[in-house]
Amino acid sequence: MKRILPLLAALVPAFAQAEGISGDLVLYTSQPNTDAQQTIDAFKAKYPEVNITFVRDGTPKILAKLSAEFEAGQPRADVLLIADSVTMEGLKKDDRLLAHDKADISAYAKGTHDPQKFWFATKLITTGIAYNTKATFKPTSWVDLTRPEVKGQLVMPSPLTSGAALIHAATLTGNLEGGWKYYEDLKDNDATAGGGNGDVLKQVAGGQKLYGVIVDYMPIREKAKGAPIEFVFPQEGVSAVSEPVAILKTTKNPEAARAFVDFLISKEGQELALKQGYIAAHPAVPLPAGYPPREQIKVMGFDAAKALADETANKATFADIFGQ
């Protein structure tokens, strides 16, 4: 009994702190509505005294809404959960984010999160190659998309309209030998660029195009439903967006905001990402059905701050190559 009492006493402050977290919390997110609701429900199961609501839209529209609120001096959001780290780097540069210095990221590999703890990765949504099962040539590498067998049969999202595609372009040109010459080779092979990942999925699954550059979960889920589509993690590696979470500097409830971030990057929160069908950022969480083992997926190096600095130049270079 003498040994147990000190242990119980040590647990009381932590429990009391968790119980004491309450009040309103507003989340702005680009997650699909179902995912956003699941995320909120899981958080509220741990913190029932927090009244959390969310606003859902695409990342560009979320940013436009935030910008208008900043201009009016009335930002409503406490927490952001949006598509990519480049967007978060922009907000960080503009001094809009609040660092969470005590966040525990010890389980994660270096480079997963912002080293200054202003934003934290919650998933790894990679971009690879999809192909229709009627295609006779099966690509295994990015360079394969420049081969004669693929000529005129490749479709991909445009970096001018898709944030994931812009990050993908920055990643490939920073890692593949020749840089932007790779995109010149794709153009010479009559690749089509335009729209978003959903349009790529529709064209490849429907057979209008045999090959596509696309985020992983879309073709993997469609294959599970019976669609004639396969997905490849190229041997050189893949690019990834990390759907980061961050706290706005103007939050009215920093305690609840920190608790929300802590939950998402905890192993429990990361297992929710798995349940939703995504690659969790946490290295100890397995991958969803339909994916290869984690060790077989190579994620290429990516510098979000550099990508932010190069954003205008990268868009201009792509537009010049593809005549957009």
Side-chain angles (χ1 to χ4, degrees), residues 254-271:
E255 273 198 351
R258 284 190 287 266
F260 185 77
V261 171
D262 289 342
F263 171 70
L264 286 187
I265 64 175
S266 70
K267 193 163 183 287
E268 180 183 355
Q270 289 291 285
E271 285 168 348

Side-chain angles (χ1 to χ4, degrees), residues 96-119:
R96 297 295 188 184
L97 302 183
L98 180 69
H100 183 8
D101 298 327
K102 295 182 179 179
D104 182 6
I105 57 174
S106 58
Y108 292 86
K110 183 180 179 182
T112 304
H113 309 293
D114 174 41
Q116 295 174 299
K117 296 187 175 182
F118 281 95
W119 54 261

Side-chain angles (χ1 to χ4, degrees), residues 270-289:
Q270 289 291 285
E271 285 168 348
L272 175 62
L274 166 62
K275 180 181 177 183
Q276 292 170 338
Y278 301 103
I279 301 176
H282 196 296
V285 177
L287 272 61

Side-chain angles (χ1 to χ4, degrees), residues 203-227:
Q203 291 194 55
V204 177
Q208 290 91 349
K209 295 287 185 179
L210 295 180
Y211 305 94
V213 175
I214 189 170
V215 292
D216 54 32
Y217 68 90
M218 286 187 173
I220 288 174
R221 290 178 184 179
E222 286 304 298
K223 177 186 175 181
K225 296 175 185 176

Side-chain angles (χ1 to χ4, degrees), residues 27-32 55-64 66 77 79-92 97 119-123 125 164 167 241-248 260 264:
L27 168 68
Y28 279 15
T29 183
S30 61
Q31 284 187 308
V55 173
R56 190 272 159 196
D57 214 325
T59 295
K61 290 185 178 180
I62 288 290
L63 285 182
L66 271 177
V79 185
L80 301 178
L81 179 57
I82 54 179
D84 64 87
S85 56
V86 176
T87 299
M88 288 301 194
E89 279 293 320
L91 291 166
K92 173 183 168 183
L97 302 183
W119 54 261
F120 305 86
T122 66
K123 300 176 180 69
I125 301 175
I167 287 174
V241 294
S242 57
E243 199 166 271
V245 62
I247 304 169
L248 278 183
F260 185 77
L264 286 187

Side-chain angles (χ1 to χ4, degrees), residues 148-187:
E149 297 93 327
V150 184
K151 189 174 181 67
Q153 288 296 322
L154 175 66
V155 61
M156 59 186 179
S158 170
L160 305 182
T161 56
S162 166
L166 182 61
I167 287 174
H168 179 67
T171 303
L172 286 196
T173 56
N175 284 275
L176 296 184
E177 187 176 349
W180 281 102
K181 186 179 183 303
Y182 175 71
Y183 278 88
E184 293 173 357
D185 293 342
L186 291 181
K187 177 60 177 175

